């Protein structure tokens, strides 16, 4: 049986509140992370991703107290990122209640951190978050950014994704910084390009606006689809996205089938 496509709401957190903007600017308040997490858990989300979007930029660790309260409200896998730079940070997040940790800026600064974390905890807990945008200066046409898209990392996105997989990440969260918050659709070309160079599960992020967009991302090679704005502001529900995926022939997990096999989040 094919592995079910995961539908993942994303909580972009700044100063303890969920926010959302366009291309990580002009942020608007979208609610309390604990309340949103509880609602998404009840709505059938397969996982939640919690990203402290200003942690690296401000040079601090993820707000663990908020992570702990969020973890207490949900019974689905919780991935947390923001300010992760090594095994000690991952250990703290796991102790706070996270199931996975996402690393971005910390891995670019010190790539060996990926191998260190994977050796200590297993690659199933580590997600490489790649904030990519179109960059003609890079061989693939896609470059990597850091600090919430504020800085150019000077890396080719495809090469960095490939290296991350080789170093031991369990999956890759690919966020199109150009499409982020636009609701104009995922960057399908970028998804196909990364899918062609890595074998680990690929989470597509950035640009979802309609249920059809999620289907297109999966058909381009994504194993999971992540979104924020369309879920936070009620444009789409998790159920509507799963209905669209199922209608297109892609397996999804339903609440009544959750006990039929291992979690779709298992990698």
């Amino acid at each position: 049986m094919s592995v079910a496509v995961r539908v993942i709401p994303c909580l972009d957190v700044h100063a303890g509140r969920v926010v959302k903007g366009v291309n990580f600017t002009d942020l608007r308040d979208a609610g309390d992370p604990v309340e949103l997490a509880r609602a998404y858990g009840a709505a059938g989300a397969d996982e939640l991703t919690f990203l402290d979007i200003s942690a690296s930029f401000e040079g601090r660790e993820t707000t663990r107290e908020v992570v702990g309260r969020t973890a207490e409200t949900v019974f689905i896998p919780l991935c947390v990122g923001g300010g992760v730079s090594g095994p000690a940070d991952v250990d703290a997040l796991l102790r706070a209640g996270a199931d996975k940790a996402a690393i971005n800026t910390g891995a670019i600064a010190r790539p060996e951190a990926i191998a260190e974390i994977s050796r200590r905890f297993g690659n199933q807990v580590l997600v490489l978050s790649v904030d990519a945008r179109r960059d003609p200066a890079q061989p693939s046409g896609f470059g990597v950014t850091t600090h919430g898209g504020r800085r150019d990392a000077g890396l080719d996105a495809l090469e960095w994704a490939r290296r991350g997989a080789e170093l031991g990440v369990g999956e890759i969260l690919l966020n199109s910084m150009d499409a982020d918050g636009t609701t104009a659709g995922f960057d399908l070309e970028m998804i196909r390009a990364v899918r062609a160079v890595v074998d680990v599960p690929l989470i597509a992020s950035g640009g979802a606006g309609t249920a059809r967009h999620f289907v297109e991302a999966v058909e381009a090679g994504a194993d999971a689809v992540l979104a924020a704005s369309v879920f936070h502001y009620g444009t789409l529900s998790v159920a509507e996205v799963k209905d669209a995926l199922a209608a297109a022939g892609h397996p999804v997990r339903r609440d009544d089938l959750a006990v039929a096999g291992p979690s779709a989040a298992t990698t």
Side-chain angles (χ1 to χ4, degrees):
M1 180 179 177
S2 299
V3 176
V5 176
R6 290 169 286 152
V7 178
I8 308 173
C10 182
L11 308 180
D12 292 324
V13 179
H14 174 70
R17 297 286 293 180
V18 176
V19 295
K20 194 57 194 169
V22 177
N23 307 130
F24 280 77
T25 62
D26 298 324
L27 301 178
R28 291 189 294 157
D29 187 276
D32 176 74
V34 178
E35 293 302 317
L36 282 172
R38 182 181 295 114
Y40 287 134
D46 297 301
E47 293 184 20
L48 283 175
T49 291
F50 178 115
L51 298 177
D52 189 331
I53 61 173
S54 57
S56 291
F57 179 68
E58 295 173 0
R60 59 172 172 78
E61 299 172 337
T62 301
T63 306
R64 294 174 191 156
E65 184 268 338
V66 178
V67 172
R69 289 193 294 118
T70 303
E72 289 174 356
T73 71
V74 297
F75 302 96
I76 54 177
L78 174 64
C79 177
V80 181
V84 174
S85 61
D89 298 317
V90 175
D91 183 63
L93 290 176
L94 296 178
R95 290 177 184 276
D99 299 284
K100 301 179 183 180
I103 190 169
N104 184 342
T105 304
I108 293 171
R110 204 171 63 86
E112 58 268 28
I114 293 174
E116 292 169 2
I117 294 167
S118 294
R119 281 196 302 268
R120 180 168 173 184
F121 301 103
N123 70 348
Q124 76 280 357
V125 309
L126 187 59
V127 178
L128 178 63
S129 182
V130 180
D131 289 342
R133 62 167 27 112
R134 290 174 180 266
D135 182 354
Q138 295 298 335
S140 71
F142 300 105
V144 177
T145 67
T146 65
H147 298 78
R150 297 177 180 87
R151 300 180 188 175
D152 181 358
L155 296 171
D156 183 275
L158 267 62
E159 182 55 37
W160 177 233
R162 182 191 294 112
R163 188 178 182 195
E166 291 173 348
L167 287 170
V169 298
E171 54 190 329
I172 291 172
L173 169 56
L174 179 65
N175 184 43
S176 169
M177 302 303 289
D178 296 317
D180 178 77
T182 65
T183 69
F186 293 92
D187 190 328
L188 304 181
E189 182 182 356
M190 180 186 292
I191 294 170
R192 292 189 191 99
V194 174
R195 175 78 287 162
V197 300
V198 300
D199 294 326
V200 297
L202 180 62
I203 306 167
S205 170
T210 69
R212 179 61 194 171
H213 289 157
F214 292 88
V215 175
E216 292 170 348
V218 172
E219 292 174 347
D223 300 281
V225 282
L226 178 148
S229 299
V230 292
F231 292 143
H232 298 341
Y233 301 124
T235 305
L236 290 170
S237 68
V238 171
E240 287 172 325
V241 172
K242 289 192 174 186
D243 287 344
L245 289 166
H250 303 293
V252 294
R253 291 182 77 244
R254 303 288 191 179
D255 288 343
D256 59 345
L257 297 179
V259 297
S263 168
T266 302
T267 58

